Amino acid sequence: MSMCKIQYSLVEMKRQDEQFYISLNMHFICRKIDTNRSHLFAPVLSDGDRQLELPLVLLAGKGRYWAFKRALWGLNRNILRTYRIMKLLKAVDESVIDYSYNLSLHYEEWMDRAKITVVCQ
């Protein structure tokens, strides 16, 4: 059984010309993570009427992490884009991982009213 949680804080969401920038600090706390387990964390931008799931952060146990890395070496880095994974992180028991999530999107008007949450899938 894996036990992992996330704390996150919004650093900035802003529009600049036709781009919308998002910056989050993510703080992962892994009490126990099985070697062949992984957790997907999805930032979601939502204004109540619309929502957009942003690229994922994959937190993987040691075995799953290295299996994924070997797949990347054999297939190439496009696999990250195919699965919409922004970052692959290796987690071990009793680890704390900090990650700065930064993304720019094409601006849409509804984004001015949006809030961001991070959900574990």
Short mmCIF file of all heavy atoms in Angstrom, two decimals, residues 74-113:
data_model
loop_
_atom_site.label_atom_id
_atom_site.label_comp_id
_atom_site.label_asym_id
_atom_site.label_seq_id
_atom_site.Cartn_x
_atom_site.Cartn_y
_atom_site.Cartn_z
N GLY A 74 14.34 3.60 -24.79
CA GLY A 74 14.08 2.79 -25.97
C GLY A 74 13.13 3.44 -26.97
O GLY A 74 13.26 3.25 -28.17
N LEU A 75 12.18 4.21 -26.49
CA LEU A 75 11.15 4.76 -27.37
C LEU A 75 11.37 6.22 -27.76
O LEU A 75 10.86 6.66 -28.76
CB LEU A 75 9.77 4.64 -26.70
CG LEU A 75 9.32 3.22 -26.41
CD1 LEU A 75 8.04 3.23 -25.59
CD2 LEU A 75 9.12 2.46 -27.70
N ASN A 76 12.00 6.97 -26.96
CA ASN A 76 12.34 8.39 -27.07
C ASN A 76 11.43 9.23 -26.17
O ASN A 76 10.44 8.75 -25.66
CB ASN A 76 12.37 8.91 -28.52
CG ASN A 76 11.01 9.07 -29.16
OD1 ASN A 76 10.06 9.46 -28.50
ND2 ASN A 76 10.91 8.79 -30.44
N ARG A 77 11.76 10.46 -26.04
CA ARG A 77 11.07 11.33 -25.08
C ARG A 77 9.67 11.74 -25.53
O ARG A 77 8.92 12.32 -24.76
CB ARG A 77 11.92 12.56 -24.79
CG ARG A 77 13.23 12.16 -24.12
CD ARG A 77 13.94 13.28 -23.45
NE ARG A 77 13.26 13.86 -22.32
CZ ARG A 77 13.20 13.34 -21.10
NH1 ARG A 77 13.71 12.17 -20.86
NH2 ARG A 77 12.60 13.98 -20.13
N ASN A 78 9.27 11.42 -26.76
CA ASN A 78 7.91 11.76 -27.20
C ASN A 78 6.85 11.02 -26.40
O ASN A 78 5.69 11.43 -26.38
CB ASN A 78 7.74 11.47 -28.69
CG ASN A 78 8.48 12.49 -29.53
OD1 ASN A 78 8.68 13.62 -29.11
ND2 ASN A 78 8.90 12.07 -30.70
N ILE A 79 7.24 9.94 -25.73
CA ILE A 79 6.28 9.20 -24.91
C ILE A 79 5.73 10.09 -23.79
O ILE A 79 4.57 9.97 -23.41
CB ILE A 79 6.89 7.90 -24.34
CG1 ILE A 79 5.79 6.99 -23.79
CG2 ILE A 79 7.92 8.19 -23.26
CD1 ILE A 79 6.25 5.60 -23.44
N LEU A 80 6.53 11.02 -23.28
CA LEU A 80 6.04 11.93 -22.25
C LEU A 80 4.89 12.78 -22.79
O LEU A 80 3.90 13.00 -22.11
CB LEU A 80 7.17 12.83 -21.74
CG LEU A 80 8.26 12.13 -20.93
CD1 LEU A 80 9.37 13.11 -20.59
CD2 LEU A 80 7.69 11.52 -19.67
N ARG A 81 5.04 13.27 -24.02
CA ARG A 81 3.98 14.07 -24.61
C ARG A 81 2.74 13.22 -24.91
O ARG A 81 1.62 13.68 -24.74
CB ARG A 81 4.48 14.74 -25.89
CG ARG A 81 5.24 16.00 -25.57
CD ARG A 81 5.58 16.77 -26.83
NE ARG A 81 7.03 16.92 -26.80
CZ ARG A 81 7.86 16.48 -27.71
NH1 ARG A 81 7.42 15.87 -28.77
NH2 ARG A 81 9.16 16.65 -27.58
N THR A 82 2.94 12.00 -25.35
CA THR A 82 1.83 11.12 -25.68
C THR A 82 0.93 10.91 -24.46
O THR A 82 -0.29 10.94 -24.56
CB THR A 82 2.34 9.76 -26.18
OG1 THR A 82 3.15 9.99 -27.33
CG2 THR A 82 1.21 8.82 -26.52
N TYR A 83 1.54 10.71 -23.31
CA TYR A 83 0.78 10.47 -22.08
C TYR A 83 0.54 11.74 -21.28
O TYR A 83 0.05 11.69 -20.16
CB TYR A 83 1.48 9.42 -21.22
CG TYR A 83 1.41 8.05 -21.83
CD1 TYR A 83 2.48 7.54 -22.55
CD2 TYR A 83 0.26 7.28 -21.72
CE1 TYR A 83 2.41 6.28 -23.14
CE2 TYR A 83 0.17 6.03 -22.31
CZ TYR A 83 1.25 5.53 -23.01
OH TYR A 83 1.17 4.30 -23.59
N ARG A 84 0.90 12.89 -21.85
CA ARG A 84 0.71 14.19 -21.22
C ARG A 84 1.41 14.28 -19.87
O ARG A 84 0.89 14.85 -18.92
CB ARG A 84 -0.78 14.51 -21.10
CG ARG A 84 -1.47 14.62 -22.45
CD ARG A 84 -2.93 14.97 -22.37
NE ARG A 84 -3.24 16.15 -21.61
CZ ARG A 84 -3.63 16.20 -20.32
NH1 ARG A 84 -3.77 15.16 -19.63
NH2 ARG A 84 -3.90 17.30 -19.71
N ILE A 85 2.58 13.68 -19.76
CA ILE A 85 3.35 13.73 -18.52
C ILE A 85 4.37 14.85 -18.64
O ILE A 85 5.19 14.88 -19.54
CB ILE A 85 4.04 12.39 -18.24
CG1 ILE A 85 2.98 11.31 -18.02
CG2 ILE A 85 4.97 12.50 -17.04
CD1 ILE A 85 3.53 9.91 -17.95
N MET A 86 4.27 15.79 -17.71
CA MET A 86 5.20 16.91 -17.71
C MET A 86 6.51 16.54 -17.02
O MET A 86 7.57 16.94 -17.43
CB MET A 86 4.57 18.12 -17.03
CG MET A 86 5.45 19.33 -16.97
SD MET A 86 4.56 20.71 -16.29
CE MET A 86 5.17 21.99 -17.34
N LYS A 87 6.38 15.75 -15.93
CA LYS A 87 7.56 15.42 -15.13
C LYS A 87 7.41 14.05 -14.51
O LYS A 87 6.34 13.70 -14.01
CB LYS A 87 7.76 16.48 -14.04
CG LYS A 87 8.99 16.31 -13.21
CD LYS A 87 10.24 16.56 -14.02
CE LYS A 87 11.49 16.46 -13.15
NZ LYS A 87 12.71 16.63 -13.91
N LEU A 88 8.49 13.28 -14.53
CA LEU A 88 8.57 11.99 -13.87
C LEU A 88 9.48 12.15 -12.65
O LEU A 88 10.61 12.60 -12.78
CB LEU A 88 9.16 10.94 -14.83
CG LEU A 88 9.53 9.59 -14.25
CD1 LEU A 88 8.28 8.85 -13.77
CD2 LEU A 88 10.26 8.76 -15.31
N LEU A 89 8.95 11.83 -11.46
CA LEU A 89 9.72 11.95 -10.23
C LEU A 89 9.84 10.59 -9.56
O LEU A 89 8.89 9.81 -9.55
CB LEU A 89 9.01 12.91 -9.26
CG LEU A 89 8.81 14.35 -9.74
CD1 LEU A 89 7.90 15.09 -8.78
CD2 LEU A 89 10.14 15.06 -9.89
N LYS A 90 11.02 10.31 -9.00
CA LYS A 90 11.24 9.05 -8.28
C LYS A 90 10.99 9.26 -6.79
O LYS A 90 11.57 10.16 -6.19
CB LYS A 90 12.66 8.52 -8.51
CG LYS A 90 12.91 7.20 -7.78
CD LYS A 90 14.23 6.57 -8.16
CE LYS A 90 15.38 7.33 -7.60
NZ LYS A 90 16.66 6.65 -7.75
N ALA A 91 10.14 8.42 -6.24
CA ALA A 91 9.82 8.50 -4.81
C ALA A 91 10.29 7.25 -4.11
O ALA A 91 10.18 6.15 -4.64
CB ALA A 91 8.32 8.66 -4.63
N VAL A 92 10.83 7.41 -2.94
CA VAL A 92 11.19 6.29 -2.08
C VAL A 92 10.57 6.54 -0.72
O VAL A 92 10.15 7.65 -0.41
CB VAL A 92 12.73 6.11 -1.97
CG1 VAL A 92 13.31 5.71 -3.31
CG2 VAL A 92 13.39 7.36 -1.46
N ASP A 93 10.51 5.49 0.10
CA ASP A 93 9.92 5.64 1.43
C ASP A 93 10.55 6.79 2.20
O ASP A 93 11.77 6.99 2.14
CB ASP A 93 10.08 4.34 2.22
CG ASP A 93 9.22 3.22 1.67
OD1 ASP A 93 8.38 3.48 0.78
OD2 ASP A 93 9.39 2.08 2.11
N GLU A 94 9.69 7.50 2.91
CA GLU A 94 10.11 8.61 3.77
C GLU A 94 10.79 9.73 3.00
O GLU A 94 11.64 10.43 3.53
CB GLU A 94 11.02 8.12 4.91
CG GLU A 94 10.41 7.04 5.78
CD GLU A 94 9.12 7.49 6.47
OE1 GLU A 94 9.01 8.66 6.85
OE2 GLU A 94 8.23 6.64 6.60
N SER A 95 10.41 9.94 1.75
CA SER A 95 11.02 11.02 0.98
C SER A 95 10.09 12.22 0.89
O SER A 95 8.88 12.11 0.99
CB SER A 95 11.41 10.54 -0.43
OG SER A 95 10.26 10.18 -1.17
N VAL A 96 10.70 13.37 0.72
CA VAL A 96 10.00 14.62 0.47
C VAL A 96 10.57 15.18 -0.82
O VAL A 96 11.78 15.26 -0.99
CB VAL A 96 10.21 15.61 1.64
CG1 VAL A 96 9.59 16.95 1.33
CG2 VAL A 96 9.64 15.03 2.93
N ILE A 97 9.68 15.53 -1.74
CA ILE A 97 10.12 16.02 -3.04
C ILE A 97 9.45 17.36 -3.32
O ILE A 97 8.22 17.47 -3.23
CB ILE A 97 9.75 15.02 -4.16
CG1 ILE A 97 10.38 13.67 -3.89
CG2 ILE A 97 10.16 15.55 -5.52
CD1 ILE A 97 9.82 12.54 -4.72
N ASP A 98 10.24 18.35 -3.66
CA ASP A 98 9.72 19.65 -4.05
C ASP A 98 9.89 19.80 -5.56
O ASP A 98 10.94 19.47 -6.11
CB ASP A 98 10.44 20.78 -3.32
CG ASP A 98 10.09 20.80 -1.85
OD1 ASP A 98 8.90 20.79 -1.52
OD2 ASP A 98 11.02 20.82 -1.02
N TYR A 99 8.86 20.30 -6.20
CA TYR A 99 8.89 20.47 -7.65
C TYR A 99 8.20 21.78 -8.02
O TYR A 99 7.10 22.06 -7.55
CB TYR A 99 8.20 19.29 -8.34
CG TYR A 99 8.09 19.44 -9.83
CD1 TYR A 99 9.24 19.49 -10.63
CD2 TYR A 99 6.86 19.57 -10.46
CE1 TYR A 99 9.15 19.64 -12.00
CE2 TYR A 99 6.77 19.72 -11.83
CZ TYR A 99 7.92 19.76 -12.59
OH TYR A 99 7.83 19.93 -13.95
N SER A 100 8.84 22.57 -8.86
CA SER A 100 8.25 23.81 -9.38
C SER A 100 7.60 23.51 -10.72
O SER A 100 8.28 23.18 -11.68
CB SER A 100 9.32 24.89 -9.55
OG SER A 100 9.84 25.25 -8.31
N TYR A 101 6.30 23.62 -10.75
CA TYR A 101 5.50 23.33 -11.95
C TYR A 101 5.26 24.65 -12.67
O TYR A 101 4.63 25.55 -12.13
CB TYR A 101 4.18 22.71 -11.51
CG TYR A 101 3.27 22.25 -12.62
CD1 TYR A 101 3.27 20.92 -13.02
CD2 TYR A 101 2.41 23.12 -13.26
CE1 TYR A 101 2.42 20.47 -14.02
CE2 TYR A 101 1.56 22.69 -14.26
CZ TYR A 101 1.57 21.36 -14.64
OH TYR A 101 0.73 20.92 -15.64
N ASN A 102 5.78 24.76 -13.88
CA ASN A 102 5.64 25.99 -14.67
C ASN A 102 5.13 25.63 -16.06
O ASN A 102 5.65 24.72 -16.70
CB ASN A 102 6.98 26.72 -14.78
CG ASN A 102 7.49 27.14 -13.43
OD1 ASN A 102 6.88 27.96 -12.76
ND2 ASN A 102 8.60 26.56 -13.02
N LEU A 103 4.13 26.38 -16.51
CA LEU A 103 3.50 26.06 -17.78
C LEU A 103 2.98 27.34 -18.43
O LEU A 103 2.51 28.24 -17.74
CB LEU A 103 2.32 25.12 -17.52
CG LEU A 103 1.53 24.61 -18.70
CD1 LEU A 103 2.38 23.65 -19.54
CD2 LEU A 103 0.27 23.90 -18.23
N SER A 104 3.06 27.40 -19.74
CA SER A 104 2.41 28.49 -20.47
C SER A 104 1.42 27.88 -21.45
O SER A 104 1.70 26.86 -22.09
CB SER A 104 3.42 29.38 -21.18
OG SER A 104 3.93 28.77 -22.33
N LEU A 105 0.26 28.49 -21.53
CA LEU A 105 -0.84 28.04 -22.39
C LEU A 105 -1.27 29.17 -23.29
O LEU A 105 -1.04 30.35 -22.98
CB LEU A 105 -2.06 27.66 -21.53
CG LEU A 105 -1.88 26.66 -20.42
CD1 LEU A 105 -3.07 26.69 -19.49
CD2 LEU A 105 -1.73 25.28 -21.03
N HIS A 106 -1.96 28.82 -24.36
CA HIS A 106 -2.59 29.84 -25.18
C HIS A 106 -3.75 30.43 -24.37
O HIS A 106 -4.59 29.70 -23.85
CB HIS A 106 -3.09 29.25 -26.50
CG HIS A 106 -3.75 30.26 -27.37
ND1 HIS A 106 -3.04 31.22 -28.04
CD2 HIS A 106 -5.06 30.48 -27.63
CE1 HIS A 106 -3.89 31.99 -28.71
NE2 HIS A 106 -5.12 31.56 -28.46
N TYR A 107 -3.79 31.75 -24.23
CA TYR A 107 -4.78 32.43 -23.40
C TYR A 107 -6.20 32.30 -23.97
O TYR A 107 -6.41 32.44 -25.16
CB TYR A 107 -4.42 33.91 -23.26
CG TYR A 107 -5.49 34.71 -22.58
CD1 TYR A 107 -5.67 34.64 -21.21
CD2 TYR A 107 -6.35 35.52 -23.32
CE1 TYR A 107 -6.67 35.36 -20.58
CE2 TYR A 107 -7.35 36.24 -22.71
CZ TYR A 107 -7.52 36.15 -21.33
OH TYR A 107 -8.50 36.86 -20.72
N GLU A 108 -7.14 32.04 -23.06
CA GLU A 108 -8.57 32.11 -23.36
C GLU A 108 -9.21 32.97 -22.27
O GLU A 108 -8.80 32.91 -21.10
CB GLU A 108 -9.20 30.72 -23.37
CG GLU A 108 -8.66 29.84 -24.49
CD GLU A 108 -9.27 28.44 -24.47
OE1 GLU A 108 -10.43 28.29 -24.02
OE2 GLU A 108 -8.58 27.51 -24.92
N GLU A 109 -10.23 33.73 -22.61
CA GLU A 109 -10.83 34.72 -21.71
C GLU A 109 -11.27 34.13 -20.36
O GLU A 109 -11.12 34.75 -19.32
CB GLU A 109 -12.01 35.39 -22.40
CG GLU A 109 -12.58 36.54 -21.59
CD GLU A 109 -13.70 37.23 -22.33
OE1 GLU A 109 -13.57 37.47 -23.54
OE2 GLU A 109 -14.71 37.53 -21.66
N TRP A 110 -11.81 32.92 -20.35
CA TRP A 110 -12.31 32.31 -19.12
C TRP A 110 -11.21 32.09 -18.09
O TRP A 110 -11.48 31.97 -16.89
CB TRP A 110 -13.05 31.01 -19.41
CG TRP A 110 -12.19 29.88 -19.89
CD1 TRP A 110 -11.87 29.60 -21.19
CD2 TRP A 110 -11.53 28.90 -19.11
NE1 TRP A 110 -11.05 28.51 -21.26
CE2 TRP A 110 -10.83 28.06 -20.00
CE3 TRP A 110 -11.46 28.64 -17.75
CZ2 TRP A 110 -10.07 26.98 -19.56
CZ3 TRP A 110 -10.70 27.55 -17.31
CH2 TRP A 110 -10.02 26.74 -18.21
N MET A 111 -9.96 32.01 -18.52
CA MET A 111 -8.85 31.74 -17.62
C MET A 111 -8.64 32.85 -16.59
O MET A 111 -8.11 32.60 -15.50
CB MET A 111 -7.56 31.51 -18.41
CG MET A 111 -7.60 30.25 -19.23
SD MET A 111 -6.13 30.10 -20.26
CE MET A 111 -6.41 28.52 -21.03
N ASP A 112 -9.10 34.07 -16.88
CA ASP A 112 -8.99 35.18 -15.92
C ASP A 112 -9.75 34.89 -14.63
O ASP A 112 -9.38 35.36 -13.57
CB ASP A 112 -9.51 36.49 -16.53
CG ASP A 112 -8.58 37.05 -17.58
OD1 ASP A 112 -7.35 36.83 -17.47
OD2 ASP A 112 -9.08 37.70 -18.51
N ARG A 113 -10.82 34.11 -14.72
CA ARG A 113 -11.67 33.80 -13.56
C ARG A 113 -11.34 32.44 -12.93
O ARG A 113 -11.96 32.04 -11.95
CB ARG A 113 -13.14 33.78 -14.00
CG ARG A 113 -13.64 35.07 -14.59
CD ARG A 113 -15.08 34.96 -15.05
NE ARG A 113 -15.32 33.92 -16.05
CZ ARG A 113 -15.09 34.05 -17.36
NH1 ARG A 113 -14.58 35.16 -17.83
NH2 ARG A 113 -15.37 33.06 -18.19
#
